[in-house]
Amino acid sequence: TEERFRQLQYPFEEVKPCLTSKEYKVSGNTYKFTDGLGVLEDDGSLKLPGESAPPRVVFTPSKGRHDVGLLHWRTPTHGVGDADDVAAADPIDEIRVLLVTPEDHERYCRAWAKHWLIVSTPHETIGAARHHVIKLARHWHLTRIWMVDDSIPSTDFYRTSSASITQKSPDSPPEILITPEGAQVLHCEAFREAENFMTDRKPKLTLLGFASQRSVEGGLTTKAKHAEKNSNGTLTSRALGELRTLTNQFNERAPTSCVLVDVTRVPWDIDYDQRLPNKEDIVFAAKLVAAGKKVCMLRSIHVKDMWMSTGGCSPLATA
């Protein structure tokens, strides 16, 4: 329920920040910035440390979810900590950028200006939102960026998970249950592992993602509905075996909900399709593969992705 998501905000606290917003033009587009983190220079460029490692920049597009979007990201120092801890567990500073529509800007600022750099520009679809993310990343001369959906809790990162398939009765549909095999990990540890993997991998990767519970469940549930059944309506042994095999093939899914992008390796003629209201991430990955770029799903990390009926592209969701 939406109330459950509000409870995940630890807690949701609406404030009235004494902050001013500034507008900057980037490649012909006007962007409105509210910088409660103090990470922007006067000319709108991102403050980058001198000779030290560049900051980790996490972009999250969000629409209509200022009170339910899972935006209370925490970087704890010991186990579970407080959102105001400043990346103490991670040597790389983490800058979080929230991309919203102009009509949502004030609402998101009241709720999240203390924790996010909030940027708004006119856009109609999630494809257009991700297009602006890539444009901002290039404007700030970033090498890599994270894109994380507002439906992923910061505390729900796990080691490789397993899936089980059950059918309680002939009249009930098959149920897909995914449970973590390994320990829960801090999101900063999961991010660092992915970044190191991208650095060390040859040939070099352009797009890397974590397995998402919701995407796997959706795909498997669809397959289970059309799987071979016995005369009493239960799944045949062969169908169960096929589905169980698919449960571990997370790399068959395109990276979607939580991805790491090497911006320098994305060709300038490939971008997120601004016309697409959903599935834009799958199309983007397919374009990269067609151009000979390497796309990978890191199967050692699994994230929980929660479906929401409010905001985003939920009215158009198909799985």
Side-chain angles (χ1 to χ4, degrees):
T1 64
E2 305 303 333
E3 183 58 33
R4 178 188 174 198
F5 295 131
R6 291 186 178 91
Q7 292 171 0
L8 286 172
Q9 303 302 347
Y10 311 113
F12 171 75
E13 177 188 4
E14 188 165 295
V15 297
K16 293 183 178 179
C18 298
L19 297 171
T20 57
S21 299
K22 295 183 179 180
E23 290 188 353
Y24 301 96
K25 278 196 174 293
V26 177
S27 302
N29 293 94
T30 300
Y31 294 86
K32 183 177 181 179
F33 295 85
T34 300
D35 181 18
L37 303 179
V39 295
L40 286 182
E41 303 284 4
D42 291 338
D43 61 356
S45 60
L46 201 63
K47 291 180 181 178
L48 299 176
E51 300 300 324
S52 60
R56 173 185 295 134
V57 182
V58 182
F59 287 88
T60 295
S62 188
K63 182 178 181 180
R65 293 177 177 170
H66 72 282
D67 57 342
V68 297
L70 303 181
L71 302 173
H72 203 139
W73 279 68
R74 301 181 295 177
T75 306
T77 53
H78 301 288
V80 176
D82 186 85
D84 292 325
D85 293 339
V86 184
D90 197 336
I92 302 177
D93 289 336
E94 200 167 275
I95 297 174
R96 302 185 186 98
V97 183
L98 193 58
L99 187 73
V100 303
T101 59
E103 54 268 25
D104 277 343
H105 192 103
E106 185 177 345
R107 286 188 288 269
Y108 277 94
C109 283
R110 285 200 301 268
W112 301 110
K114 289 170 58 179
H115 307 291
W116 293 76
L117 167 60
I118 299 177
V119 184
S120 65
T121 192
H123 61 273
E124 297 296 331
T125 67
I126 185 62
R130 296 192 194 278
H131 159 81
H132 288 296
V133 167
I134 297 296
K135 182 171 287 191
L136 284 171
R138 285 175 169 154
H139 176 69
W140 287 334
H141 305 290
L142 299 175
T143 302
R144 295 175 181 170
I145 61 167
W146 282 93
M147 265 191 275
V148 182
D149 287 359
D150 61 3
S151 53
I152 294 179
S154 66
T155 54
D156 286 349
F157 285 74
Y158 303 93
R159 291 295 171 189
T160 304
S161 300
S162 63
S164 59
I165 302 165
T166 61
Q167 190 173 20
K168 295 179 180 178
S169 70
D171 297 328
S172 64
E175 294 182 2
I176 310 297
L177 177 63
I178 297 182
T179 54
E181 289 179 348
Q184 191 173 15
V185 296
L186 302 179
H187 84 269
C188 54
E189 293 177 1
F191 282 4
R192 192 185 304 115
E193 183 172 321
E195 290 158 356
N196 291 339
F197 183 84
M198 180 175 272
T199 297
D200 297 337
R201 181 69 182 263
K202 290 181 174 42
K204 292 298 184 182
L205 299 173
T206 302
L207 180 65
L208 174 67
F210 294 143
S212 161
Q213 174 177 330
R214 180 155 60 95
S215 66
V216 174
E217 284 180 338
L220 290 174
T221 301
T222 299
K223 290 180 182 295
K225 287 180 180 178
H226 302 286
E228 183 182 34
K229 296 180 176 62
N230 294 311
S231 58
N232 63 356
T234 59
L235 294 174
T236 65
S237 298
R238 185 173 67 178
L240 281 171
E242 291 174 350
L243 287 171
R244 289 195 178 102
T245 299
L246 288 173
T247 57
N248 292 323
Q249 295 178 353
F250 288 160
N251 59 340
E252 288 192 349
R253 301 288 300 188
T256 54
S257 305
C258 185
V259 300
L260 175 62
V261 185
D262 186 331
V263 182
T264 64
R265 301 189 66 82
V266 176
W268 282 85
D269 60 344
I270 293 179
D271 199 350
Y272 286 95
D273 194 326
Q274 298 187 64
R275 301 166 299 176
L276 293 179
N278 60 2
K279 309 303 182 187
E280 77 298 332
D281 35 21
I282 297 175
V283 173
F284 178 69
K287 288 179 180 179
L288 290 175
V289 172
K293 299 299 180 180
K294 299 300 180 183
V295 175
C296 179
M297 185 77 83
L298 187 61
R299 297 174 65 187
S300 61
I301 300 291
H302 164 121
V303 299
K304 182 175 289 187
D305 187 3
M306 298 186 175
W307 187 85
M308 297 183 184
S309 61
T310 299
C313 60
S314 54
L316 298 164
T318 57

